[in-house]
Amino acid sequence: MNAVEIEQAISELADQPYDATEFPFAFLECFDNFPARSKKLRKGTSNKSDMGGVLQAGSIHIKTCEAGQVPETLTALKDSKAT
């Protein structure tokens, strides 16, 4: 995917109703994540997050949080041994 396609996919995601459970997977799909990889992450087969988020090894660790909890969540992600 090129930058324009990624921006379009993220804009479309932003227009959708927010679902904290589905958001990490939908976000990854904006970057052309392979369906098989997303399926393994959803099932937990390859999701090694140690904090209830989604960890795609070597790429990204995503955790949704409540409003006002972003700084604490980012710190926890940075400090995570799995990250």
Side-chain angles (χ1 to χ4, degrees), residues 3 13 16 19 21-22 26 29 37-38 41 44 47 49 51 62 68 73-74 78-80:
L13 176 60
Q16 301 299 315
D19 179 342
T21 304
E22 283 298 311
E29 289 171 11
R37 183 178 292 159
S38 290
L41 286 169
N47 183 5
S49 178
M51 35 184 317
I62 303 172
T73 303
L74 286 174
K78 287 183 209 174
D79 295 342
S80 164

Side-chain angles (χ1 to χ4, degrees), residues 1 25 27-42 46 56:
M1 294 182 86
F25 305 105
F27 183 78
L28 290 172
E29 289 171 11
C30 291
F31 294 90
D32 207 19
N33 204 36
F34 297 111
R37 183 178 292 159
S38 290
K39 186 176 180 179
K40 287 180 181 179
L41 286 169
R42 283 180 195 276
S46 64
Q56 184 171 307

Side-chain angles (χ1 to χ4, degrees), residues 1-15 30:
M1 294 182 86
N2 65 41
V4 173
E5 292 169 324
I6 292 169
E7 187 278 330
Q8 182 178 359
I10 290 174
S11 293
E12 290 173 7
L13 176 60
D15 288 338
C30 291

Side-chain angles (χ1 to χ4, degrees), residues 46-62:
S46 64
N47 183 5
K48 304 300 181 193
S49 178
D50 58 352
M51 35 184 317
V54 175
L55 173 59
Q56 184 171 307
S59 181
I60 190 168
H61 198 171
I62 303 172

